Amino acid sequence: MAGIRTLILLGFLFLGGSIQAQTQLVREGKITYERRTNVWKIFEDERMRQFIGEKNKIKIEEFTLYFNDSSSLFSYVVPDQPDPQSWLTMKNTVYNQFNKGQRFVYMDMMGNSMTVGDSLLKHTWKITDKTRKIAGYECTRVIWQKDDTTRIYAWYTTDIIATVGPENIQGLPGAVLGLATEDGSIVYFAKKVDVITPTAEQIAQPKKKGKQYTQAELIADLTEKLKGQPYGDRIITGMFYW
């Protein structure tokens, strides 16, 4: 009997250890996202669509997000094969300092580099009861009503407690593993989550590129420079979509 009781006790101890391992919360790591952009939904002019070509209307690009308790770095992964139409999509690098409430967005547009230095953005999210599994994590869907005509959907997991996400998205009670516009023109989904401790180099703040603005200053500057230009408003909206 003593032997049986010992085996039962060991079984409970093993099971308890397994449950603890499965419910361990992630505080730091690396998330790899795939972004799918339907550029035909962004450029609706028929001549522009013909230039892009139907086979190129969906652009698939990869981004990484390194994060820990104090900061995160979101950046584009340059592919092995160059894309001649790479200029059709924005590929911002975003560095967040959570302990200081600051964000830095590094942009390139038409050969010009610029940096936005500003406070962390705050979005008002509506939590729903819809869930889905992304990269092995159970995620809850939330909705941000950006303006009268635009809604943004996100899926976050509380198993990754760092309040991080792609682009400028943060502030939810967990990591955002999915992000999409309502019309599906831009969709991010995590492909993989690596539970690692980022090195100092992997999560270091990039150097300033070009002139530094606040977001409001850059929008005002671009609005003036692009006045009357085709797609001027759309370019500005695309730069600050999130």
Side-chain angles (χ1 to χ4, degrees), residues 159-214:
D159 292 331
I160 305 174
I161 62 175
T163 175
V164 296
E167 299 283 356
N168 292 298
I169 299 299
Q170 47 76 43
L172 283 160
V176 172
L177 299 185
L179 181 67
T181 58
E182 188 172 19
D183 66 355
S185 57
I186 307 173
V187 178
Y188 283 96
F189 277 115
K191 296 168 55 180
K192 184 181 180 183
V193 176
D194 294 304
V195 182
I196 62 171
T197 298
T199 65
E201 292 77 14
Q202 289 171 333
I203 206 166
Q205 181 176 0
K207 294 180 180 179
K208 186 180 78 171
K209 298 171 65 175
K211 184 177 178 180
Q212 182 164 316
Y213 303 79
T214 66

Side-chain angles (χ1 to χ4, degrees), residues 130-148:
K130 294 187 177 181
T131 63
R132 66 179 296 172
K133 188 161 285 189
I134 303 174
Y137 290 85
E138 194 69 25
C139 298
T140 299
R141 192 183 79 167
V142 293
I143 302 171
W144 166 37
Q145 189 72 43
K146 181 180 178 183
D147 53 40
D148 292 340

Side-chain angles (χ1 to χ4, degrees), residues 4 15 24 28 53-54 78 97 106 127 146 181 186 200 215:
I4 293 175
L15 179 60
Q24 183 178 8
E28 56 186 2
E54 185 170 2
V78 179
Q97 289 182 309
Y106 305 86
I127 298 177
K146 181 180 178 183
T181 58
I186 307 173
Q215 181 166 314

Side-chain angles (χ1 to χ4, degrees), residues 220-238:
D221 189 46
L222 291 175
T223 299
E224 181 63 29
K225 289 180 178 178
L226 296 175
K227 186 182 296 183
Q229 295 296 320
Y231 301 111
D233 291 341
R234 191 174 294 275
I235 289 171
I236 295 171
T237 299

